Amino acid sequence: MAISILGIESSCDETAAAVCRDGNILSNIIASQDIHSRYGGVVPELASRAHLQNIFPVVDQALLGADTALSEINAVAFTQAPGLIGSLLVGAQFAKSLAFSLNIPLIAVHHMQSHVLANLIGGKDNPETVPSFPFLCLTVSGGHTQIVVCESPERMEVIGETMDDAAGEAFDKSAKLMGLPYPGGPLIDHYAAEGNAARFKFPEPQIPGLNFSFSGLKTAILYFIQNEKAKDPDFVSNNLADICASIQERIVSILLNKLKKASAQTGIKNVCLAGGVAANKGLRKKFTETGWNLGWKTFIPKMEYCTDNAAMIALTGYYKYLDQSFSPLSIAVSARAGW
Ligand code: KG4
Ligand code: ZN
């Protein structure tokens, strides 16, 4: 019998649903919430309201796109943690109600684990395109920066993480300092393509072990821009491409230096990226080059599976279904990232 899982993601500002059958993704629907760009960041209350509006049509479309009736769904998987509480609650309540009314299992999924497992999407048909276990994953998003050792879909260990800002925040906050709108990460990427990355030098923090810190870099960029603007009020607009390229260069080198260290320490040479910042062209290029130089096998999920999506939730749900790892309807959501 085929196993069909409906996945629901609502941890931040994307309402998403997907259907996974026997490990293959049949549909992947995402409703983004543009309203937040007006406020320079995600407004939690507005995010919850938008989830409420979006969740029914998004789930309908996911089922339709997968040509799957509700009666064919074997379990409902949803993002249980981490995220914005109000946002998580909408997806969780929807998933619980559906599982209860259909009398099928409920599966709680950890958002960060599912980002890592996004690297396995497509592996059923093309096993050579996905990493074999164990693999290392650098997960870089707006809320998280982690290096994870993944031994199996259910066994993962965080061996390094940020002590302050996430990599996506480092991009977004730097962009804000330059007067760019939210989210600024993709804009820095865009302008950096035309810039000289060697023009300005920003400091690399000296953090022991495999952990990251981006707050010092943010402060250095703040003072740099303030000083230069005092001399030339148009400094940012006149040098935008070079500033973006130089900032991107430093964020990428901070990430990859730790990833190299993690690979050397663990001896693992299957290495993956995950999360929204994996969209960054500078990171993708340097990651692939580093892999060539060090004999890694490198993997990056398709773009639609790097940013927040429900395909990764449905696939994680599928693995948990095989393990019979179900949750009671009483399970609570959690804003915190603890595994
Ligand atoms: O994984 P994601 O979609 O949502 C979270 O779970 O946070 O990641 C969003 C983050 C934002 O900080 C955004 O600016 C960043 O990913 N991002 C990028 C790029 N595309 C998205 N950062 C740098 N370059 C990009 N091309
Ligand atoms: Zn995410």
Side-chain angles (χ1 to χ4, degrees), residues 204-274:
E204 174 152 10
Q206 301 305 312
I207 308 294
L210 297 174
N211 286 338
F212 302 90
S213 168
F214 288 100
S215 64
L217 175 63
K218 184 180 62 189
T219 311
I221 294 169
L222 170 71
Y223 288 141
F224 167 75
I225 290 179
Q226 276 178 353
N227 286 342
E228 295 297 331
K229 272 172 113 176
K231 292 180 251 166
D232 169 13
D234 297 326
F235 173 75
V236 170
S237 51
N238 288 340
N239 299 280
L240 189 59
D242 290 350
I243 306 173
C244 287
S246 303
I247 291 173
Q248 179 168 296
E249 172 92 354
R250 176 51 77 211
I251 295 175
V252 168
S253 76
I254 292 173
L255 293 171
L256 291 184
N257 284 343
K258 292 289 178 163
L259 195 55
K260 282 192 246 177
K261 202 167 171 181
S263 171
Q265 270 182 24
T266 58
I268 298 174
K269 288 183 175 251
N270 285 328
V271 191
C272 308
L273 291 184

Side-chain angles (χ1 to χ4, degrees), residues 3-231:
I3 297 165
S4 300
I5 309 291
L6 173 67
I8 293 173
E9 155 65 28
S10 72
S11 63
C12 189
D13 60 343
E14 329 273 359
T15 320
V19 175
C20 170
R21 182 168 304 145
D22 291 337
N24 294 310
I25 300 302
L26 301 187
S27 63
N28 182 38
I29 306 295
I30 302 175
S32 299
Q33 304 176 1
D34 296 333
I35 189 159
H36 305 288
S37 60
R38 269 186 249 166
Y39 300 93
V42 177
V43 184
E45 189 55 36
L46 294 178
S48 323
R49 278 190 234 165
H51 284 307
L52 277 173
Q53 283 170 348
N54 293 341
I55 194 142
F56 275 92
V58 163
V59 169
D60 272 346
Q61 279 187 50
L63 291 168
L64 209 66
D67 200 12
T68 300
L70 265 184
S71 56
E72 294 173 84
I73 296 292
N74 298 91
V76 186
F78 73 102
T79 304
Q80 182 255 337
L84 300 170
I85 276 292
S87 291
L88 288 167
L89 277 170
V90 177
Q93 214 47 47
F94 188 94
K96 287 179 184 184
S97 309
L98 201 56
F100 179 67
S101 63
L102 296 171
N103 198 22
I104 56 177
L106 177 73
I107 299 174
V109 169
H110 192 286
H111 183 84
M112 300 311 296
Q113 291 183 354
S114 73
H115 267 303
V116 173
L117 296 184
N119 278 285
L120 301 182
I121 293 176
K124 277 270 163 174
D125 288 339
N126 298 300
E128 71 288 349
T129 61
V130 302
S132 50
F133 297 106
F135 63 82
L136 275 181
C137 184
L138 171 69
T139 311
V140 273
S141 73
H144 302 276
T145 300
Q146 296 184 328
I147 299 178
V148 174
V149 176
C150 185
E151 304 272 359
S152 74
E154 288 282 328
R155 277 182 47 218
M156 294 185 205
E157 188 192 353
V158 179
I159 57 170
E161 62 192 328
T162 185
M163 299 179 336
D164 39 60
D165 288 346
E169 277 177 295
F171 272 107
D172 296 340
K173 289 180 178 176
S174 304
K176 201 169 178 178
L177 292 172
M178 290 185 278
L180 298 174
Y182 175 86
L187 293 170
I188 292 191
D189 191 359
H190 172 76
Y191 293 117
E194 304 293 316
N196 172 6
R199 172 101 184 272
F200 305 112
K201 283 269 169 266
F202 296 107
E204 174 152 10
Q206 301 305 312
I207 308 294
L210 297 174
N211 286 338
F212 302 90
S213 168
F214 288 100
S215 64
L217 175 63
K218 184 180 62 189
T219 311
I221 294 169
L222 170 71
Y223 288 141
F224 167 75
I225 290 179
Q226 276 178 353
N227 286 342
E228 295 297 331
K229 272 172 113 176
K231 292 180 251 166

